[in-house]
Amino acid sequence: MSEERIGFRWWAEAEPDRPAIVDAWGASLTYGELGAEVNRLTHGLRDVAGLHRGDTVACVMSNSIRMLTLYLAAMQSGVYLVNINYHLTAEEIAYIVDDCAAAVVVCSQKSAGQTAAAVAGRVPLFVDGAHPAARPFTDLTDGRRADLPAERPAGSLMLYTSGTTGRPKGVKRPLPEADADAGARTYKWLFDEYGMADACAVWLVSAPLYHSANLTPAAGTLHLGGRLVLMDGWTAEMFLETVARHGVTGTHMVPTQFHRLLRLPEAVREAADVGSLRAVLHGAAPCPRPVKERMLAWFGPVLYEYYGSTEVGTTIARPHEWLARPGTVGRPASISTLKIFDPEGNEVPSGVEGTVYMRQGADVVEYHNDPEKTRHARRDGLLTVGDLGYVDADGYLFLTGRSSDLIIVGGVNVYPAEIEAALLTHPQVADAGVVAAADPDLGEVPVAFVEAVPGPLDGAELRASIAAHCAGKLARVKCPARLHLVTGLPRDPNGKLYKARLSEDAVAVAADGASA
């Protein structure tokens, strides 16, 4: 792909019949059709919705062609786009809409009810479907011009943190002083940095686009002329069928999806055609080493791991790097800076654990409407989200836990991630979460919540087996003091565990009780 042809609009002009997107229901757009629809929507956002540079659009949409056209239109309109998790309640949506001061809200049919209740007539609402309290999405496009706007200032995503431990916060960057074409070129770095440019030939979106980890490579694919395949909903069987049917070359996944794929019968896994995959990007949650080793044995050396967040830079662990240093999340990308600080603010040497601070380029990030949180997260020009880790002598980062998750058991620091990784190696454990519980003697103790798969053991026998399994892998102080069998854990679709919802009071535990 030539340097001159970066950006979806260049492909629309040069190869209008080139396939661009196919959605979960078989509807598709060529690049010519995509370019025309994005331009119509751009004109509509200005002429119908009355948006100006610096305004904010809130989007509560499921994976769809129209969600992608809204993203591309926003990125050539000089506005902020806030993608909101469509699983949120009306109250949660209302908080984000108000906090980001959205000038207009756009939603899918499936989220129209709670979005309309959240907006309550305070902000213009457009729905990709029909709702009595909203205008149809087509009001933004019908009758609009399909030509390229004369002015195309670059927009920006304003992403809200997941809110797993409290109210989500908007991560806001200054709008770029550039046009949309320059903005499009910034997405190319992802594939270049990872050394996986050929993976965007057919990119599968297998998780919600409201998460930046899924939207970023999807946007990069369109700017590089690849074909985008959308899933809306996910099962292991559906994923494998989609990969085989479309000849998928790349995708982004989370460890929860790996777990579910590995639970398929061996005969199903052996029959699956995954030979087209050239790169599987994964992150968003810690991946236990045994799980990744099994996935590498199945898919081959195509797993590219990253560590990062909405706020900070990125590290990269390419397949050969991870195989040489199992457990690493990689080294900083070329535009990222990484430092490890102790509690007193001193940078620590290699091999010493501390708090991970990072920055992407000269990025200046702030938490919207929360300068105090911004101030506390910064140090030496870098930002932290509270993760703990160390770097080895070659600069590879290894994560050890999260400071907010820390459990202090009789004065000993215990990190739930280590316990969860050990639990997940038990053959009947499908998912696990560990949190702190108060203890009159030790102050705090770890308590585990486990989702089990059918097998030879259940109830008390299964808990005893899991406890023995942990005892063989963990120091006694790290072993769960109690273990609850549950039907499922409160995770978002990107695999992040809502630890604030995980407690012995909040979770319905199995009737057969817990092991001590």
Side-chain angles (χ1 to χ4, degrees), residues 179-331:
D179 65 11
D181 289 340
R185 286 192 290 273
T186 64
Y187 286 88
K188 184 175 182 292
W189 82 268
L190 172 70
F191 294 98
D192 287 344
E193 283 285 333
Y194 280 66
M196 58 181 206
D198 59 347
C200 70
V202 183
W203 189 269
L204 174 63
V205 178
S206 61
L209 281 165
Y210 62 69
H211 196 288
S212 62
N214 302 309
L215 182 57
T216 299
T221 295
L222 292 175
H223 289 317
L224 292 171
R227 179 158 56 96
L228 210 55
V229 178
L230 305 181
M231 292 178 68
D232 185 33
W234 193 94
T235 67
E237 294 86 351
M238 186 192 308
F239 170 82
L240 294 176
E241 189 277 330
T242 304
V243 169
R245 176 156 48 94
H246 292 279
V248 169
T249 53
T251 191
H252 177 277
M253 302 184 73
V254 295
T256 300
Q257 292 171 318
F258 291 165
H259 293 312
R260 292 174 183 173
L261 283 167
L262 292 170
R263 284 165 54 187
L264 291 171
E266 185 176 354
V268 174
R269 285 186 276 119
E270 289 180 350
D273 181 4
V274 295
S276 61
L277 289 171
R278 300 170 193 168
V280 174
L281 189 59
H282 77 96
C287 184
R289 178 174 166 180
V291 171
K292 183 160 181 176
E293 288 171 340
R294 291 182 65 194
M295 288 301 299
L296 283 165
W298 179 9
F299 280 17
V302 298
L303 270 60
Y304 290 73
E305 185 166 3
Y306 68 91
Y307 162 73
S309 72
T310 302
E311 299 94 317
V312 301
T314 307
T315 66
I316 304 165
R318 300 165 185 85
H320 68 278
E321 294 172 314
W322 194 92
L323 287 166
R325 299 170 179 82
T328 185
V329 292
R331 290 197 297 184

Side-chain angles (χ1 to χ4, degrees), residues 291-486:
V291 171
K292 183 160 181 176
E293 288 171 340
R294 291 182 65 194
M295 288 301 299
L296 283 165
W298 179 9
F299 280 17
V302 298
L303 270 60
Y304 290 73
E305 185 166 3
Y306 68 91
Y307 162 73
S309 72
T310 302
E311 299 94 317
V312 301
T314 307
T315 66
I316 304 165
R318 300 165 185 85
H320 68 278
E321 294 172 314
W322 194 92
L323 287 166
R325 299 170 179 82
T328 185
V329 292
R331 290 197 297 184
S334 62
I335 61 172
S336 296
T337 303
L338 165 68
K339 292 183 180 180
I340 310 292
F341 291 108
D342 65 18
E344 286 71 44
N346 304 306
E347 188 173 1
V348 301
S350 62
V352 177
E353 182 189 77
T355 302
V356 180
Y357 283 77
M358 294 186 70
R359 184 183 66 237
Q360 182 164 299
D363 208 5
V364 179
V365 176
E366 65 179 40
Y367 289 104
H368 185 54
N369 292 335
D370 198 338
E372 190 67 12
K373 181 178 175 67
T374 304
R375 186 179 67 82
H376 281 296
R378 282 189 180 146
R379 176 162 287 167
D380 196 23
L382 285 75
L383 201 74
T384 186
V385 293
D387 288 325
L388 303 172
Y390 65 91
V391 295
D392 68 12
D394 297 315
Y396 284 86
L397 175 63
F398 292 77
L399 297 177
T400 55
R402 192 174 180 92
S403 58
S404 60
D405 292 341
L406 178 66
I407 303 172
I408 303 177
V409 184
V412 178
N413 291 351
V414 173
Y415 298 107
E418 183 182 3
I419 305 172
E420 291 161 358
L423 286 164
L424 287 167
T425 61
H426 188 281
Q428 277 191 243
V429 173
D431 200 3
V434 174
V435 294
D439 184 86
D441 182 38
L442 298 171
E444 292 181 320
V445 291
V447 174
F449 297 86
V450 168
E451 177 188 350
V453 296
L457 303 175
D458 58 20
E461 288 185 338
L462 177 57
R463 290 197 311 274
S465 174
I466 295 172
H469 178 82
C470 288
K473 291 181 171 292
L474 301 168
R476 185 174 180 179
V477 70
K478 300 177 183 178
C479 290
R482 292 183 293 282
L483 191 149
H484 298 287
L485 300 178
V486 296

Side-chain angles (χ1 to χ4, degrees), residues 36 39-41 43 47 141 143-147 149-150:
N39 290 339
R40 282 190 285 266
L41 183 53
H43 290 300
D47 301 340
T141 56
R144 302 296 112 195
R145 303 194 313 274
D147 60 312

Side-chain angles (χ1 to χ4, degrees), residues 107-174:
C107 69
S108 295
Q109 181 69 57
K110 71 164 57 175
S111 58
Q114 72 262 39
T115 305
V119 171
R122 303 190 313 277
V123 182
L125 174 63
F126 294 84
V127 60
D128 184 11
H131 192 277
R135 296 174 66 178
F137 184 97
T138 51
D139 279 4
L140 294 169
T141 56
D142 286 1
R144 302 296 112 195
R145 303 194 313 274
D147 60 312
L148 202 67
E151 296 183 358
R152 300 172 62 247
S156 178
L157 289 171
M158 179 176 168
L159 299 166
Y160 272 70
T161 58
S162 61
T164 55
T165 58
R167 284 285 201 182
K169 294 296 180 184
V171 179
K172 192 172 187 178
R173 294 171 169 85

